C-alpha cells in the first residue's frame, strides 16, 4: 500500500521536556562506564572470571564504540580484587655466568631484596678491609711466614753443610743452583779444575751429582713448606673472612630463609665472596683507571636486576601496550660499548609488557600486534608454553650466531585481551589454527543500542560525566535532546542510538568551542546543531562540487516534467568518514531481439557483482510477468548516465525496472521523483542502506532548482524506521514542499511515477486494457511477431 509519510514519521525527535534536569551538571556519573552493551558486559565479565589460560578474550567491534575504555575499566575493577603477583629479578649465575638466574619474591620484596644485597656489598667493602688490616691477622700471618723462613733456613744450612762435606759450595744464580769445588777452603778456579787429573775430575763430578740430588730434595722440602704456609695463610684468610662476613650474611639469610631460591642464591654469593675476597681489598694499582674499571665490572656480579616491581601495584597488574613490538612485549638484552667492544651482562636484561602483566592482564590492539614482526607468534608461544624467554630477535630467529646471555625462562600466567574488528577475528579463525584454542571468549560490541528511556537517561549521564572530566560547558535539556537525536542520526534508525561515542564526544567538543566563541555558558540545541553543520561543512566539498555541476547544467538531472525510459536513481558516495547521496540519471532503451537486458556498466566492466545480480533479477521479473505464453523477444540496455566510477549494490534495481517498464510501455515517468529500493523476482520492494543520505542528496538538487511542492522520493516501506532526515527536509515535508512515499511493490511505484494504474492480471493472466502492464505485454508481443516474421524471411531467402 502506498503511504505518503508525514513529518513526524521521517524523524524521531527528542523532546527536552522528558528530562527532569536543567543542566548536565546535575547528573550522576555512570556506574559501569558503558551504555547499551549488555551482551558485551556479560561476555566480558564471564571471560575475565575464567581462570583457565586458554580462555583469553577477543573484544570485537568497530573503533569508537567504547571497546577500549570499557575493557580497561572492567579489567581494572576485577584486577583490584585479585592477589598481587610476585616480583621478578635476575641475578648472577656463579657457576654458569652466561645463564642468569631468575628469582621471584612476593610483591614489594624484590625492591627490598635489591637494597639489602646492595647494602650487604657495601658493608662487605668496609668490613673485609678492616678485618685484613687488623693487628691480630698480621701477627698470625707473620708467625706463619716466620715459621716458613726458619724452616727454609734450616734446610739451606743442611744443604750448605752437606756441600762442605763433599768439598763444594752452593751458589744461587738466575738460572738455578751452581756447585763450585773447594780447594784449601777457597773456590777452585777453572784453570785449576782443568789441570786436575781425569780421575779427580770424575770424582768431583760424581760428588757434584750427589750434591744436585741433595739440593733437589731440599728444594722440594722448601716448596712443601711454602705450600703448607700458603695453605695456612689461605685458611687464616678464610677464617678471618668468614668471621668478618658471617654475621652480615646471617642477618640477610635469616630474613629470606623462607624463600628457598633467594636463600640458595645468598649461599652461593657467600661462597663466591669467600673465593674472591681480595676484590674487596684496596690495591695500590686501584688508582689506575683500567684497574678501577675491571674492579667495578667484577662487582656487577653482586647486583640484583629487578625487572618486575609490583611494590606499588594494587591487585593484579593491568598493562595496556600501545606499541606492541617484539622488544616491547618480550624485553631484550641490551649491549654497551666497553673498551671498544660490545658487551653485555645480566644487568642489561630488560623486561617487556608480558612480564609486567604477569599474574594479571595484558590489553593489546590486534591490528598493532599483527603489524609488528614476531609479536603475534611470540604471544602465541608464551600462551602455549606458559614461559617467557628473553632473547633478542636476531637470536630468536637464528640470524645472529654469536655467544650471548641465555636468561632463565620465567613462568607466565596472564590473561590477554585483544581489541580488534570483526573482520580480523573472522580471518584469524579461518587461517590461524591456534587462535580458536587460545582465544575462546569473543565479546561483541554493537554499533547501536535501543532508544528507550533507560538508555536515553544513561546517555545523558555519559554526556554530563564527559563534560565534567574534560572541563566542557554543561548542556541544557535542549542540548542533550539534540545529542540524542544525533545519536539516532548516526545509527540511521528511529528506535536506535549509536554507540560510536567517539563521534558523539567530538560534537560535544566542537559545541563547547562554539559556545566559547559566542560567549555562552551552557551548550544549547542550537550550538549542537551548529557543531554538526560545521562538521559536515568541513567534509562536504565534493558534494558541493556535484551540486555546482548540477546548478551549471553540466550534470544532467531533471527535477520536473516527464520522460519516457528515464528516471532519477539514488546512490551513496563514501569519502572517509563522510557519506552523501548523489542522484543519477538512469535510462533504458528497448528493441526487438534476443539479447535480453544488457547492463552497459557490466559490459564496460564498471558494474560490481551485486549490481550485476540485480540487473539479472530484472530479466527474471520481465519473463515471469509478461512471457508466460509467448517467447521473450527483447533486447534492452540500461545505463547510468554520466557515471564514471564503478556501480555496486542492488539498491537501484527497482529504479532500473521502472525505466525499463516505461521504455516498453511508452509511458513517461515523473522526473520530480527519485527512486531507491531493491526488487526481487516477484516484484517486491526490499530495504536498502543509506536512505537518509539518498533523500538528502535529491532534496538538495531540487532545492537548487526550486521546490515545486511535487518533488519527492520513493523508498521501501521497510526503510521508514531508518529515517532520521535533516531538520530542513523535515520542515519541507511538513509544509508540503517535499514528499516521501513508502511502497511495498513495483506496482505501487508505477502508479506514483506514471499517474496511471499498473494493472492486475485476471485468472487467465491478462492485464486490464490500457494499464501499464497491458501496454508492456502488448509491446513484447509485437517484438515477438517482428522476430518471427524476420526469421521466416531469413529462411525463405536462404
Amino acid at each position: 500500500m502506498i503511504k505518503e509519510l508525514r513529518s513526524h514519521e521521517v524523524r524521531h525527535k527528542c523532546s527536552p521536556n522528558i528530562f527532569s534536569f536543567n543542566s548536565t551538571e546535575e547528573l550522576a556519573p555512570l556506574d559501569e562506564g558503558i551504555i547499551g552493551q549488555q551482551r558485551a558486559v556479560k561476555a566480558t565479565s564471564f571471560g575475565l572470571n575464567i581462570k583457565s589460560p586458554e580462555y583469553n578474550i577477543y573484544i570485537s567491534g568497530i573503533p569508537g564504540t567504547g571497546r577500549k575504555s570499557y575493557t580497561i575499566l572492567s579489567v581494572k575493577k576485577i584486577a583490584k580484587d585479585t592477589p598481587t603477583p610476585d616480583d621478578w629479578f635476575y641475578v648472577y649465575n656463579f657457576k654458569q655466568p652466561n645463564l642468569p638466574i631468575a628469582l621471584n619474591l612476593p610483591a614489594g620484596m624484590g625492591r627490598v631484596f635489591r637494597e639489602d644485597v646492595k647494602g650487604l656489598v657495601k658493608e662487605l667493602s668496609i668490613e673485609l678491609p678492616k678485618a685484613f688490616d687488623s693487628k691480630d691477622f698480621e701477627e698470625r700471618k707473620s708467625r706463619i711466614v716466620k715459621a716458613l723462613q726458619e724452616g727454609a733456613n734450616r734446610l739451606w744450612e743442611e744443604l750448605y753443610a752437606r756441600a762442605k762435606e763433599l768439598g763444594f759450595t752452593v751458589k744461587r744464580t738466575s738460572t738455578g743452583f751452581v756447585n763450585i769445588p773447594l780447594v784449601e777452603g777457597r773456590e777452585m778456579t777453572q784453570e785449576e779444575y782443568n789441570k786436575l787429573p781425569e780421575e779427580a775430575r770424575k770424582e768431583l763430578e760424581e760428588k757434584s751429582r750427589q750434591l744436585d740430588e741433595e739440593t733437589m730434595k731440599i728444594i722440594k722440602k722448601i716448596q712443601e713448606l711454602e705450600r703448607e704456609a700458603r695453605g695456612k695463610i689461605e685458611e687464616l684468610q678464610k677464617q678471618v673472612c668468614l668471621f668478618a662476613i658471617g654475621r652480615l650474611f646471617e642477618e640477610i639469610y635469616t630474613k629470606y630463609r623462607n624463600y628457598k631460591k633467594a636463600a640458595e642464591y645468598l649461599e652461593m654469593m657467600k661462597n663466591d665472596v669467600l673465593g674472591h675476597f681480595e676484590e674487596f681489598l684496596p690495591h695500590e694499582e686501584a688508582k689506575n683507571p683500567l684497574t678501577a674499571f675491571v674492579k667495578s665490572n667484577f662487582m656487577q656480579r653482586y647486583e640484583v636486576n629487578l625487572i618486575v616491581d609490583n611494590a606499588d601495584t594494587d591487585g593484579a597488574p593491568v598493562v595496556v601496550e600501545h606499541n606492541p613490538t617484539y622488544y616491547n612485549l618480550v624485553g631484550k638484552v641490551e649491549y654497551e660499548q666497553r673498551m671498544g667492544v660490545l658487551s653485555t651482562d645480566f644487568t642489561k636484561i630488560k623486561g617487556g609488557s608480558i612480564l609486567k602483566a604477569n599474574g594479571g592482564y595484558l590489553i593489546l590492539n590486534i591490528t598493532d600486534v599483527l603489524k609488528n614482526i614476531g609479536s603475534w607468534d611470540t604471544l602465541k608461544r608464551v600462551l602455549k608454553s606458559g614461559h617467557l624467554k628473553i632473547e633478542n630477535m636476531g637470536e630468536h630467529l637464528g640470524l645472529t650466531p654469536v655467544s650471548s646471555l641465555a636468561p632463565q625462562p620465567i613462568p607466565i600466567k596472564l590473561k590477554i585481551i585483544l581489541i580488534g574488528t570483526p573482520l580480523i577475528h573472522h580471518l584469524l579463525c579461518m587461517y590461524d589454527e591456534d587462535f580458536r584454542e587460545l582465544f575462546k571468549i569473543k565479546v561483541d560490541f554493537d554499533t547501536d543500542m535501543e532508544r528507550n528511556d533507560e538508555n536515553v537517561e544513561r546517555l545523558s549521564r555519559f554526556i554530563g560525566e564527559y563534560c565534567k572530566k574534560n572541563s566542557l560547558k554543561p548542556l541544557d535539556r535542549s542540548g542533550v535532546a539534540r545529542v540524542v537525536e544525533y545519536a539516532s542520526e548516526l545509527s540511521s534508525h528511529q528506535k536506535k542510538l549509536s554507540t560510536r561515542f567517539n563521534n558523539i564526544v567530538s560534537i560535544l567538543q566542537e559545541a563547547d568551542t562554539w559556545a566559547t566563541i559566542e560567549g555562552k555558558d551552557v551548550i544549547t540545541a542550537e550550538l549542537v546543531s551548529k557543531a554538526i553543520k560545521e562538521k559536515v561543512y568541513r567534509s562536504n566539498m565534493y558534494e558541493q562540487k556535484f551540486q555546482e555541476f548540477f546548478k551549471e547544467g553540466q550534470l544532467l538531472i531533471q527535477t520536473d516534467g516527464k520522460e519516457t525510459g528515464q528516471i532519477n536513481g539514488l546512490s551513496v558516495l563514501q569519502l572517509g568518514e563522510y557519506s552523501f547521496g548523489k542522484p543519477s540519471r538512469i535510462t533504458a532503451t528497448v528493441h526487438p531481439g534476443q539479447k535480453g537486458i544488457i547492463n552497459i556498466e557490466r559490459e564496460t566492466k564498471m558494474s560490481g557483482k551485486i549490481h550485476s545480480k540485480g540487473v539479472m533479477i530484472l530479466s527474471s521479473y520481465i519473463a515471469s510477468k509478461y512471457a508466460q505464453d509467448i517467447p521473450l523477444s527483447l533486447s534492452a540496455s540500461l545505463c547510468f548516465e554520466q557515471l564514471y566510477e564503478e556501480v555496486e549494490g542492488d539498491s537501484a534495481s527497482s529504479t532500473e525496472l521502472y525505466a525499463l517498464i516505461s521504455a516498453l510501455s511508452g509511458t513517461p515517468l515523473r522526473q520530480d521523483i527519485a527512486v531507491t529500493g531493491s526488487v526481487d523476482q516477484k516484484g517486491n520492494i526490499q530495504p536498502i542502506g543509506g536512505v537518509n543520505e539518498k533523500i538528502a542528496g535529491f532534496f538538495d538538487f531540487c532545492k537548487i532548482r526550486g521546490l515545486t511542492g511535487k518533488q519527492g522520493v520513493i523508498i521501501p516501506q521497510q526503510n521508514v524506521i531508518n529515517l532520521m532526515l535533516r531538520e530542513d527536509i523535515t520542515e519541507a515535508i511538513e509544509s508540503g514542499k517535499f514528499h516521501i512515499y513508502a511502497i511495498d511493490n513495483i506496482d505501487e511505484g508505477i502508479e506514483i511515477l506514471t499517474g496511471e494504474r499498473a494493472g492486475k492480471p485476471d485468472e487467465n493472466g491478462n492485464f486490464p486494457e490500457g494499464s501499464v502492464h497491458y501496454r508492456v505485454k502488448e509491446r513484447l508481443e509485437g517484438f515477438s511477431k517482428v522476430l518471427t516474421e524476420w526469421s521466416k524471411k531469413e529462411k525463405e531467402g536462404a
Side-chain angles (χ1 to χ4, degrees):
M1 183 179 70
I2 301 172
K3 182 179 181 181
E4 182 176 355
L5 304 180
R6 298 175 181 270
S7 60
H8 70 273
E9 295 177 291
V10 298
R11 182 180 181 84
H12 186 182
K13 293 188 176 182
C14 180
S15 172
N17 296 326
I18 67 172
F19 301 112
S20 59
F21 57 86
N22 294 316
S23 168
T24 53
E25 287 183 316
E26 305 169 15
L27 298 175
L30 288 170
D31 297 329
E32 296 178 359
I34 195 71
I35 313 169
Q37 298 285 3
Q38 285 77 14
R39 178 193 297 271
V41 170
K42 186 175 181 180
T44 304
S45 177
F46 178 73
L48 291 174
N49 281 288
I50 293 182
K51 303 304 180 185
S52 175
E54 297 89 9
Y55 281 83
N56 297 289
I57 304 172
Y58 186 98
I59 306 290
S60 174
I62 66 170
T65 54
R67 303 171 304 169
K68 183 177 178 181
S69 56
Y70 172 71
T71 300
I72 294 173
L73 185 67
S74 58
V75 170
K76 284 184 175 179
K77 188 175 181 181
I78 288 184
K80 186 176 286 189
D81 298 326
T82 305
T84 304
D86 290 349
D87 295 337
W88 282 91
F89 49 92
Y90 276 103
V91 293
Y92 186 76
N93 189 334
F94 299 103
K95 295 179 179 178
Q96 294 177 289
N98 65 320
L99 304 177
I101 300 171
L103 301 179
N104 62 303
L105 286 172
M109 289 191 67
R111 187 185 298 180
V112 176
F113 184 79
R114 180 183 62 187
E115 295 304 314
D116 286 345
V117 172
K118 185 178 180 181
L120 174 63
V121 173
K122 187 176 180 180
E123 288 292 325
L124 291 174
S125 300
I126 296 172
E127 294 298 326
L128 283 173
K130 285 171 58 179
F132 285 97
D133 196 37
S134 66
K135 184 178 179 180
D136 179 64
F137 171 74
E138 291 297 334
E139 288 179 353
R140 294 171 66 183
K141 181 179 178 182
S142 297
R143 286 197 293 269
I144 296 174
V145 173
K146 184 179 180 181
L148 169 63
Q149 292 174 345
E150 290 175 352
N153 289 337
R154 284 196 301 271
L155 291 172
W156 285 121
E157 288 174 0
E158 290 178 7
L159 177 63
Y160 294 147
R162 178 58 178 160
K164 193 173 183 179
E165 288 178 7
L166 295 174
F168 284 86
T169 182
V170 179
K171 284 191 175 184
R172 289 185 182 183
T173 66
S174 59
T175 58
F177 293 93
V178 177
N179 299 327
I180 300 175
L182 296 175
V183 56
E184 297 178 356
R186 61 177 178 81
E187 296 179 2
M188 182 182 294
T189 64
Q190 186 66 37
E191 292 179 358
E192 292 175 333
Y193 178 79
N194 293 335
K195 292 178 180 179
L196 290 176
E198 182 68 24
E199 291 182 3
R201 286 204 299 269
K202 285 184 179 180
E203 184 179 356
L204 287 175
E205 288 175 1
E206 177 63 23
K207 290 181 179 180
S208 179
R209 185 188 62 77
Q210 292 178 12
L211 183 59
D212 285 341
E213 291 179 357
E214 294 290 339
T215 302
M216 291 305 298
K217 290 179 182 179
I218 294 298
I219 290 173
K220 285 182 179 180
K221 290 181 179 179
I222 293 174
Q223 288 176 343
E224 288 179 4
L225 289 176
E226 289 176 348
R227 279 196 295 270
E228 290 178 5
R230 281 198 301 272
K232 290 179 180 179
I233 290 175
E234 287 177 2
E235 183 63 27
L236 173 63
Q237 289 173 334
K238 185 177 180 179
Q239 292 176 2
V240 171
C241 181
L242 192 59
F243 178 78
I245 70 174
R247 176 183 56 82
L248 299 177
F249 271 96
E250 184 61 29
E251 289 177 2
I252 191 172
Y253 185 84
T254 302
K255 187 174 182 179
Y256 296 99
R257 69 172 56 191
N258 294 327
Y259 306 104
K260 183 180 178 182
K261 290 184 178 180
E264 289 176 353
Y265 166 74
L266 291 173
E267 188 64 31
M268 288 189 293
M269 179 182 174
K270 178 181 177 181
N271 293 332
D272 189 74
V273 171
L274 288 173
H276 299 89
F277 69 89
E278 64 277 0
E279 297 293 339
F280 292 86
L281 305 180
H283 300 281
E284 287 297 327
E285 58 271 20
K287 297 179 182 180
N288 186 326
L290 180 60
T291 306
F293 170 78
V294 172
K295 183 173 182 178
S296 64
N297 191 39
F298 177 84
M299 287 300 179
Q300 279 186 339
R301 67 169 61 197
Y302 302 123
E303 292 184 14
V304 174
N305 182 11
L306 184 61
I307 58 173
V308 178
D309 184 5
N310 287 317
D312 301 322
T313 304
D314 183 14
V318 178
V319 178
V320 182
E321 180 54 69
H322 299 286
N323 184 25
T325 63
Y326 175 86
Y327 288 121
N328 285 350
L329 289 175
V330 175
K332 56 188 172 182
V333 180
E334 294 181 341
Y335 286 79
E336 68 176 355
Q337 190 172 8
R338 295 177 180 174
M339 312 299 290
V341 179
L342 286 177
S343 61
T344 188
D345 57 68
F346 77 99
T347 63
K348 301 296 186 293
I349 302 172
K350 307 297 178 184
S353 300
I354 294 176
L355 275 179
K356 293 176 183 176
N358 194 16
Y361 306 87
L362 177 59
I363 301 173
L364 302 166
N365 186 298
I366 183 61
T367 303
D368 296 333
V369 173
L370 296 174
K371 283 180 181 177
N372 286 284
I373 298 174
S375 296
W376 178 237
D377 288 335
T378 298
L379 276 180
K380 293 192 297 179
R381 185 171 61 253
V382 169
L383 289 175
K384 288 192 290 185
S385 67
H387 289 81
L388 174 68
K389 183 179 181 181
I390 300 177
E391 56 184 349
N392 291 345
M393 184 174 287
E395 298 153 12
H396 168 66
L397 298 176
L399 301 177
T400 311
V402 297
S403 177
S404 182
L405 295 181
Q408 187 178 20
I410 294 177
I412 298 295
K413 185 179 181 181
L414 82 167
K415 191 173 289 290
I416 294 179
I417 298 99
L418 297 179
I419 300 175
T421 63
L423 175 61
I424 294 180
H425 183 274
H426 172 71
L427 293 174
L428 288 173
C429 286
M430 289 283 292
Y431 298 109
D432 193 315
E433 60 184 13
D434 299 320
F435 180 72
R436 291 186 182 183
E437 293 300 318
L438 297 175
F439 292 87
K440 294 186 176 180
I441 299 293
K442 181 188 178 188
V443 178
D444 280 313
F445 269 69
D446 201 349
T447 57
D448 305 308
M449 59 183 171
E450 294 296 324
R451 182 172 169 176
N452 52 38
D453 293 342
E454 179 185 355
N455 285 337
V456 168
E457 186 264 340
R458 291 181 65 79
L459 179 59
S460 304
R461 290 167 61 189
F462 167 78
I463 293 169
E465 183 178 0
Y466 182 84
C467 289
K468 289 176 183 177
K469 284 185 177 179
N470 295 275
S471 301
L472 304 184
K473 294 177 177 61
L475 280 72
D476 65 7
R477 290 187 291 177
S478 70
V480 174
R482 183 64 185 91
V483 174
V484 171
E485 291 179 14
Y486 179 65
S488 285
E489 291 173 18
L490 291 175
S491 181
S492 294
H493 201 290
Q494 296 181 2
K495 295 183 179 180
K496 300 281 187 181
L497 295 172
S498 175
T499 58
R500 288 176 284 174
F501 300 110
N502 278 1
N503 296 29
I504 294 174
V505 299
S506 68
I507 291 299
L508 295 178
Q509 290 278 3
E510 294 177 28
D512 177 76
T513 302
W514 286 113
T516 301
I517 292 172
E518 297 184 8
K520 303 289 181 61
D521 295 326
V522 177
I523 299 173
T524 61
E526 290 74 18
L527 290 171
V528 175
S529 295
K530 184 170 185 176
I532 296 170
K533 185 178 180 181
E534 292 294 329
K535 184 175 183 179
V536 170
Y537 176 74
R538 294 194 299 271
S539 305
N540 71 346
M541 183 181 73
Y542 289 103
E543 181 182 16
Q544 290 186 346
K545 289 292 183 184
F546 279 113
Q547 293 173 6
E548 287 178 14
F549 294 152
F550 172 71
K551 188 176 182 179
E552 295 169 357
Q554 298 182 43
L555 191 59
L556 303 179
I557 302 289
Q558 291 181 230
T559 58
D560 57 7
K562 290 186 176 182
E563 293 288 342
T564 301
Q566 178 176 301
I567 191 169
N568 289 325
L570 298 170
S571 59
V572 176
L573 295 183
Q574 185 82 35
L575 297 174
E577 292 185 352
Y578 184 69
S579 59
F580 62 92
K582 175 183 172 292
S584 297
R585 181 164 53 96
I586 300 174
T587 59
T589 61
V590 297
H591 56 87
Q594 293 182 328
K595 292 184 178 180
I597 300 175
I598 298 174
N599 176 10
I600 292 179
E601 276 71 33
R602 182 182 179 186
E603 296 300 316
T604 57
K605 297 182 179 180
M606 293 175 64
S607 175
K609 293 181 179 180
I610 299 175
H611 177 253
S612 298
K613 174 189 174 184
V615 175
M616 294 176 71
I617 288 174
L618 303 187
S619 299
S620 299
Y621 175 84
I622 294 293
S624 64
K625 192 80 171 179
Y626 308 113
Q628 295 296 311
D629 51 1
I630 59 170
L632 185 61
S633 306
L634 171 67
S635 289
S637 63
L638 291 169
C639 180
F640 277 74
E641 304 292 352
Q642 291 187 288
L643 189 69
Y644 307 106
E645 63 270 354
E646 184 181 79
V647 181
E648 181 58 302
D650 63 351
S651 65
S653 58
S654 67
T655 316
E656 292 170 312
L657 183 55
Y658 292 132
L660 190 59
I661 291 174
S662 171
L664 285 168
S665 66
T667 308
L669 301 175
R670 291 175 61 181
Q671 301 300 296
D672 53 6
I673 291 181
V675 180
T676 184
S678 171
V679 66
D680 65 13
Q681 295 184 107
K682 302 292 185 181
N684 299 310
I685 301 298
Q686 302 172 140
I688 45 82
V691 65
N692 293 294
E693 291 85 353
K694 292 175 179 178
I695 293 172
F698 189 67
F699 174 82
D700 290 337
F701 273 42
C702 293
K703 194 174 181 180
I704 291 172
R705 292 272 175 86
L707 296 175
T708 63
K710 296 181 180 180
Q711 294 140 332
V713 176
I714 295 175
I715 66 170
Q717 177 68 44
Q718 300 94 323
N719 283 120
V720 172
I721 199 169
N722 300 115
L723 294 176
M724 283 297 295
L725 297 179
R726 292 190 330 233
E727 292 175 335
D728 58 336
I729 303 177
T730 305
E731 292 170 2
I733 292 171
E734 188 173 3
S735 60
K737 295 180 179 180
F738 199 74
H739 307 273
I740 305 294
Y741 303 97
I743 63 172
D744 290 315
N745 55 65
I746 284 292
D747 288 355
E748 293 174 359
I750 290 173
E751 293 178 1
I752 295 172
L753 291 166
T754 64
E756 302 179 18
R757 56 180 180 156
K760 292 185 178 180
D762 57 21
E763 61 274 6
N764 297 318
N766 298 317
F767 295 101
E769 188 173 347
S771 67
V772 174
H773 289 315
Y774 176 84
R775 293 199 294 274
V776 172
K777 187 168 184 179
E778 188 178 43
R779 185 81 178 276
L780 290 173
E781 288 174 347
F783 286 171
S784 179
K785 289 178 182 179
V786 169
L787 283 180
T788 302
E789 292 174 2
W790 181 260
S791 179
K792 288 181 180 178
K793 288 180 180 179
E794 280 190 332
K795 289 180 180 179
E796 290 173 359

